[in-house]
Each structure stands twice: as C-alpha cells, then as structure tokens.
Amino acid sequence: MAARFTTRFAPSPTGFLHRGHAFSALTAHAAARAADGRFLLRIEDIDATRRRPEFEAAIFEDLAWLGLDWETPVRRQSEHMDDYMAALDRLQAEGLVYRCFRTRREVAEAIASAPHGAMEAFAGAPLPPDEEAERLAAGAPFAWRLSLSAARARLGGFGGLSFVEEGAGPDGEHGLIPARPELGGDVVLARKDVGVAYHLAVTVDDALQGVTHVIRGCDLFEAAHVQRLLQALLDLPEPVYRHHRLLTGPDGKRFAKRDRAETLRELRARGVQPRALRRELGFD
Ligand code: GLU
C-alpha cells in the first residue's frame, strides 16, 4: 500500500511570517486536504544564533489565525540533534564527509580562483592526517562537508540519480529531473560550533516524519539536488517535490524577511481578516 500523502511547512523561527510564508503554508495545507493526507508543521530552529522564542510563538499564532491546523506534537529540530548526529556518524564512517578548516572567506576565494570562476561550486578534500591532527589539537574550528568525489565513487556517478518534480523549478523544470548535486559543491552538513546544517537536518526529518511530498518555494529547488543525494547515501526514501512559485509584491519583488515585507501580524493589526488574505492568495 502506498504511504499516506504527507507534507509539511517548515519555517525557521528567525523572523515573523509574511505573505510569502502564508502562501507556502496554505499551498501545502490545501494539497494535504485534497489528498486526504497529513499536514505537518516543523520548526527549523537549528540556528541558535538567529532563532528567537517569540518568532516561534508567532508562527503558531499566525498560522492558527490563518485558519490552518496541523498534527501535534510539532517537531522542533533543536530537540533532535541525536538523529542528525547519527546520520552524520554514518556518513563519517563511510568516508563521505571530511573536516574543512577553511573560513567562509577562504572558500569564497577558492571558488573565485577556480578555472570556471563563480560557476564552479566549492569542492575540497580532507587535510593530510598529521596536518589535521595539528589543527584539531590547536582547537581550530571546522565544518563537516559532504565530499562529492567520495559520493560519486560510492554511487558510481550521479547518472542514476533523479527526483520527481510535480511543481516547477525557477526555470520551469518539471517532471523527472536528473539530480545535479555538483551545483551545490561540497556542502556543509555540520559545524563544530552550530552542530547540524540545513541540508542534513531537512533530509533526515523528511524521512523520519514520513514526508511523501516536499512542498516549498522554488527558491529551494536547488536544495533538492543535494537532498536527493543525501537520501541515496543514507538509504532514505525519496519524496516527490512540488516547488511552488514565489509570491511577489506589487513592485514585482518577492516577499522576504530581509526586505521588510509586511508581516502577518502587521496585517492582522490593521484589521485584515484571514479570509480576505486567503482569498487574496488564491485560496478559498
Ligand atoms: N526552513 C526552511 C526555510 O525556512 C525551509 C526548509 C524546507 O522547506 O525544506 O526556508
């Protein structure tokens, strides 16, 4: 029997939700309803430097105001570090990750000086063991990066890797998409100080929560290429993807926290009714 349709809305509590988030949550919620499936809410709070409890509280309040309901208990990523560490351990044991001691700036410089310039994503390699031991002894910070060359060797190339896109990527990509994890380079999966990074946490959670359909904005389309590779390396089930368009404001620009888009709480404070907002966004 096929797994029951399960999707999720996975905001990070690093700001207040705006119309773009409402559109994304409503899209996933409506899809779950249409399929008589499950709608989950997941709090992606692994970034301890940016998360704030008031943003998390506002997520629940704003989504309830919008008329959404979700399954409980809600998964909060910061409470599941063990799950991510278990996945990281496995990748370590299989030689699929390496410690990278380069700073962000050094990585940017390496990319800029690569033969294909900015087109080339970062790919590094582990340090020789004695040099690594020296840095570790000196307490140097490092990140765990996924080694694309090790992953390629393990899978015999990425040719057999693809994912199903039922929505559309930023350039209209739809259907069976060949995965190109090399677009992202050797991504960071964990940091010594912050613990797990986005791609690993999302991939592990989607699998553990039985997510069959990843519904999210097409700004995350490229992430699917990397996440599909992680699924293959960790023997996790493969969800279907439905990336949706990004909502733009009257000026044609997309809604984003950094542009100070009007938040759902501001809308509410000036008397906008949830029904009116849902209708404006194309629901109801
Ligand atoms: N937490 C991510 C964000 O707020 C979304 C992750 C996902 O949907 O895969 O952008």
Side-chain angles (χ1 to χ4, degrees), residues 189-250:
L189 295 186
R191 289 183 195 282
K192 187 185 165 203
D193 42 354
V194 187
V196 67
Y198 163 71
H199 287 299
L200 187 59
V202 163
T203 304
V204 168
D205 282 349
D206 283 338
L208 286 179
Q209 294 192 284
V211 169
T212 60
H213 289 72
V214 171
I215 302 178
R216 62 186 177 193
C218 67
D219 52 334
L220 288 168
F221 178 74
E222 268 200 19
H225 293 264
V226 179
Q227 290 165 16
R228 181 68 196 95
L229 172 60
L230 286 173
Q231 288 150 12
L233 296 174
L234 292 165
D235 296 313
L236 300 175
E238 174 192 347
V240 166
Y241 290 86
R242 278 191 200 172
H243 290 93
H244 60 70
R245 69 183 175 91
L246 298 181
L247 211 60
T248 49

Side-chain angles (χ1 to χ4, degrees), residues 8 18 22 46 112 119 121 157 161 163 182 198 221 227 233:
R8 81 312 193 267
H18 51 67
I46 47 176
M119 296 297 288
L161 214 56
F163 61 91
E182 61 275 16
Y198 163 71
F221 178 74
Q227 290 165 16
L233 296 174

